[in-house]
Amino acid sequence: MKKILVPVDFSAYSEYALEVAAILAKRHGAGIVLLHMIGMSDSVLANSEIAEEAEAKYFLKLAKDKIKEFTEREYLKDVHVATIIQNYKDFNEVNEVAHEQNCDLVVMGSHGTSGFSDLFVGSNTEKVVRSSELPVIVIKKPHKDFTINKMVMACDLSKECIPIYEKAEAYAELFSASLEVVYINSAGANFMGHDDVEKRMESFEKEVGEEIKVDFYNHHSVERGILNYCFEKNADLLVIPTHGRKGLAHFVVGSLAENISNHAKMPVMTIKL
């Protein structure tokens, strides 16, 4: 891992993410790219050129002052930090910045009570998660010692989840953590009998080409099943496949991906299919 992108809005939650990124950067010899998106309103941009320029300079100075404060945090000592400030047009641009800067991972903050809000505005963080081609770790509380010993990946054991598993396995190796895979066997159309469960597990292992620890967890709700399983297993990091606009691959039902990220107390890593 060479670079970690951390989008910040200067809230406490984005600072939680920055501190986690600093811990990871120190452990793995990586640098950090701090990204702040000013997000000037249409009303500002509709002003005269003189007024627009003055307003832009004002917000830019504020952003520069705040981002300078962030870079001077004690926990960033001995970490190489680059800063980027720009006005957004579309939050998909975060993905473009990540690629332009050759980043390997995105770490971002969220308070988790109304979507991915507080980092950026409204559903914009959700857009970042869904559009990011890089893995994204969502952080919602302070972590003075961000140690990952056990990772749990929730998926439907379909073939398209194989690349996700391989990426999760690579991160587990990087973090020196164990990795478990769980399939939530929920009531209704997706419920499977014991024989079907065994066949799906064997097929998944065959596709991966190695023996995998796979658990099947029965629960009436996929969302609650994932969270309960992680709690019972004392997991440190939950890995969830994302599917672009569709969110959670096989699990997709409305805002399930957002709900899990909101309700999970542990850090959540999303990896795009």
Side-chain angles (χ1 to χ4, degrees), residues 111-145:
H111 65 47
T113 55
S114 56
F116 282 102
S117 57
D118 232 36
L119 178 61
F120 306 132
V121 181
S123 63
N124 286 322
T125 305
E126 174 193 333
K127 294 175 184 177
V128 173
V129 169
R130 290 185 175 185
S131 64
S132 177
E133 295 174 8
L134 298 178
V136 179
I137 295 181
V138 179
I139 301 294
K140 285 179 286 188
K141 63 180 183 180
H143 292 269
K144 298 300 181 184
D145 180 20

Side-chain angles (χ1 to χ4, degrees), residues 143-211:
H143 292 269
K144 298 300 181 184
D145 180 20
F146 188 71
T147 300
I148 302 297
N149 293 314
K150 180 178 288 187
M151 295 169 55
V152 168
M153 174 180 166
C155 73
D156 64 355
L157 303 181
S158 63
K159 288 184 179 181
E160 61 181 352
C161 284
I162 300 297
I164 305 299
Y165 173 79
E166 291 171 346
K167 288 182 181 179
E169 187 177 39
Y171 272 97
E173 184 176 348
L174 181 69
F175 297 150
S176 298
S178 64
L179 175 63
E180 298 179 9
V181 177
V182 62
Y183 175 89
I184 306 302
N185 202 17
S186 59
N190 293 323
F191 183 82
M192 295 192 299
H194 179 75
D195 290 343
D196 292 329
V197 165
E198 290 294 326
K199 287 178 182 178
R200 179 164 292 204
M201 181 175 67
E202 290 172 5
S203 177
F204 190 77
E205 287 187 339
K206 184 177 180 180
E207 289 290 335
V208 173
E210 62 183 66
E211 186 175 342

Side-chain angles (χ1 to χ4, degrees), residues 157-271:
L157 303 181
S158 63
K159 288 184 179 181
E160 61 181 352
C161 284
I162 300 297
I164 305 299
Y165 173 79
E166 291 171 346
K167 288 182 181 179
E169 187 177 39
Y171 272 97
E173 184 176 348
L174 181 69
F175 297 150
S176 298
S178 64
L179 175 63
E180 298 179 9
V181 177
V182 62
Y183 175 89
I184 306 302
N185 202 17
S186 59
N190 293 323
F191 183 82
M192 295 192 299
H194 179 75
D195 290 343
D196 292 329
V197 165
E198 290 294 326
K199 287 178 182 178
R200 179 164 292 204
M201 181 175 67
E202 290 172 5
S203 177
F204 190 77
E205 287 187 339
K206 184 177 180 180
E207 289 290 335
V208 173
E210 62 183 66
E211 186 175 342
I212 300 171
K213 180 174 175 50
V214 179
D215 280 346
F216 285 78
Y217 191 83
N218 293 316
H219 201 281
H220 63 84
S221 161
V222 173
E223 175 192 335
R224 293 309 312 175
I226 292 172
L227 297 179
N228 286 359
Y229 180 86
C230 289
F231 176 77
E232 291 175 11
K233 293 293 184 176
N234 197 28
D236 301 301
L237 180 67
L238 168 61
V239 180
I240 305 178
T242 61
H243 203 288
R245 295 180 182 177
K246 294 182 180 179
L248 254 185
H250 167 79
F251 306 135
V252 184
V253 179
S255 59
L256 182 58
E258 293 87 341
N259 288 340
I260 289 178
S261 295
N262 286 336
H263 299 152
K265 295 180 180 179
M266 74 197 75
V268 176
M269 171 185 275
T270 62
I271 303 177

Side-chain angles (χ1 to χ4, degrees), residues 7-62:
V8 296
D9 64 352
F10 308 128
S11 68
Y13 302 98
S14 59
E15 183 152 11
Y16 299 158
L18 180 57
E19 189 163 9
V20 166
I23 293 170
L24 292 175
K26 288 177 181 178
R27 279 187 195 149
H28 305 292
I32 289 177
V33 178
L34 271 182
L35 171 64
H36 176 66
M37 307 184 87
I38 299 174
M40 292 175 65
S41 67
D42 291 338
S43 61
V44 171
L45 298 176
N47 290 334
S48 67
E49 289 185 8
I50 295 176
E52 177 186 330
E53 183 179 356
E55 189 111 7
K57 286 182 177 179
Y58 172 75
F59 284 114
L60 182 60
K61 184 180 185 304
L62 284 181

